[in-house]
Amino acid sequence: MKTIRIHYLQHVAFEGLGCIEDWALAKGHQLTSTKFYEDRQLPELSAFDWLIVMGGPMSVYDEEKYNWLQGEKEFIRNSIQADKIVIGICLGAQLIASALDAKVFPNGEKEIGWFPVSISNNLQTNNILGEDSVPITVFHWHGDTFDLPENSIRIASSEACLNQAFLYHKKVVGLQFHFEVTEKSLQQMIAFCGDELVAGRYIQSAEKMLEKVHHIREINIRMFELLDNLESKTEI
């Protein structure tokens, strides 16, 4: 496998690649980035093979507050049309959904903490999230959700949120939850977004979330498996 040129979009300093960086460096792939809180310069489509869109506390419809959002969605749309591998996490998944003309809106409940998701594995999804169909406990931090984009397939759901993940044209994956989280990045989210930890049916306390960090190893393995799966589809 030749070197894959991976470009990622980062919205806030405390939500970086997490374990995705470990995977990319171990594989010898190239990483470049656009960090909207520092530099909004986007690359030419010919300059990268994969696009990864990270999370953040803003919403896709906050365009008046964040004037780069419109251009970011157009860039994501163009990347999909150019047949790139595109992965979105949390806000990133919502941005992909919006770029594909699906509605993004506040979910009935905020979902913050460790909660199970059910994986939909079948021939259509190519077992993109692994072969095990038993519900797995993953890390969440989101208040918005989305309708499924047209021609996409739901690949995960939870009690609080129907559309937890989707696959579009076998090369575009949106995940509401955080397979990539590390103990450090979890602590940073708590530090920067702790004001969201109010009483709620699907909101855990910081202490409860930190008690469950043993789940990180399993979900990082899932992230690596997803990346390996997509790597096998990359034609360079």
Side-chain angles (χ1 to χ4, degrees):
M1 177 66 68
K2 294 183 179 179
T3 300
I4 297 174
R5 301 167 301 163
I6 301 171
H7 190 79
Y8 65 97
L9 306 180
Q10 187 170 342
H11 305 99
V12 287
F14 58 88
E15 287 203 52
L17 286 176
C19 76
I20 298 172
E21 182 173 7
D22 299 332
W23 178 88
L25 294 177
K27 293 278 189 170
H29 297 322
Q30 176 185 316
L31 287 171
T32 57
S33 65
T34 298
K35 297 180 178 179
F36 289 104
Y37 54 95
E38 291 178 349
D39 179 13
R40 301 172 189 177
Q41 187 68 36
L42 292 164
E44 296 294 328
L45 292 176
S46 60
F48 63 94
D49 308 302
W50 287 23
L51 179 67
I52 301 179
V53 191
M54 300 308 301
M58 60 285 295
S59 296
V60 304
Y61 41 79
D62 286 343
E63 292 174 353
E64 288 188 9
K65 187 174 181 181
Y66 304 99
N67 58 13
W68 39 264
L69 274 170
Q70 185 65 42
E72 182 182 13
K73 284 186 274 191
E74 183 178 351
F75 180 74
I76 293 168
R77 184 181 303 111
N78 291 341
S79 299
I80 294 170
Q81 291 174 348
D83 205 31
K84 307 288 185 183
I85 296 285
V86 181
I87 305 167
I89 295 171
C90 201
L91 172 65
Q94 296 158 14
L95 284 163
I96 292 172
S98 181
L100 292 172
D101 298 320
K103 182 181 177 183
V104 179
F105 52 94
N107 194 42
E109 300 266 7
K110 282 192 174 183
E111 196 172 19
I112 303 175
W114 296 96
F115 298 100
V117 295
S118 298
I119 307 298
S120 303
N121 286 324
N122 53 48
L123 292 175
Q124 281 186 301
T125 66
N126 196 32
N127 291 336
I128 194 84
L129 295 184
E131 296 183 4
D132 186 2
S133 59
V134 175
I136 57 172
T137 299
V138 301
F139 187 68
H140 306 260
W141 200 306
H142 69 97
D144 285 348
T145 188
F146 46 77
D147 290 334
L148 284 181
E150 188 175 357
N151 298 318
S152 69
I153 304 168
R154 181 186 301 113
I155 51 177
S157 60
S158 71
E159 183 176 293
C161 183
L162 178 63
N163 295 325
Q164 279 285 354
F166 65 87
L167 176 65
Y168 176 81
H169 287 189
K170 298 183 179 181
K171 283 192 168 184
V172 179
V173 180
L175 306 176
Q176 280 273 46
F177 47 85
H178 294 270
F179 267 169
E180 88 294 349
V181 74
T182 64
E183 189 166 352
K184 179 181 178 181
S185 63
L186 188 157
Q187 290 171 339
Q188 287 181 318
M189 280 190 257
I190 291 171
F192 285 94
C193 300
D195 59 322
E196 294 186 57
L197 302 182
V198 298
R201 186 179 176 189
Y202 300 100
I203 299 177
Q204 293 174 348
S205 67
E207 293 75 19
K208 189 74 170 178
M209 286 188 272
L210 292 170
E211 284 175 6
K212 296 178 177 290
V213 294
H214 59 276
H215 290 296
I216 287 175
R217 182 177 180 276
E218 178 186 355
I219 62 173
N220 284 176
I221 290 171
R222 294 271 185 167
M223 186 80 249
F224 296 155
E225 290 173 348
L226 169 61
L227 295 168
D228 286 343
N229 188 310
L230 293 170
E231 183 186 45
S232 70
K233 302 179 189 302
T234 303
E235 297 177 4
I236 301 179

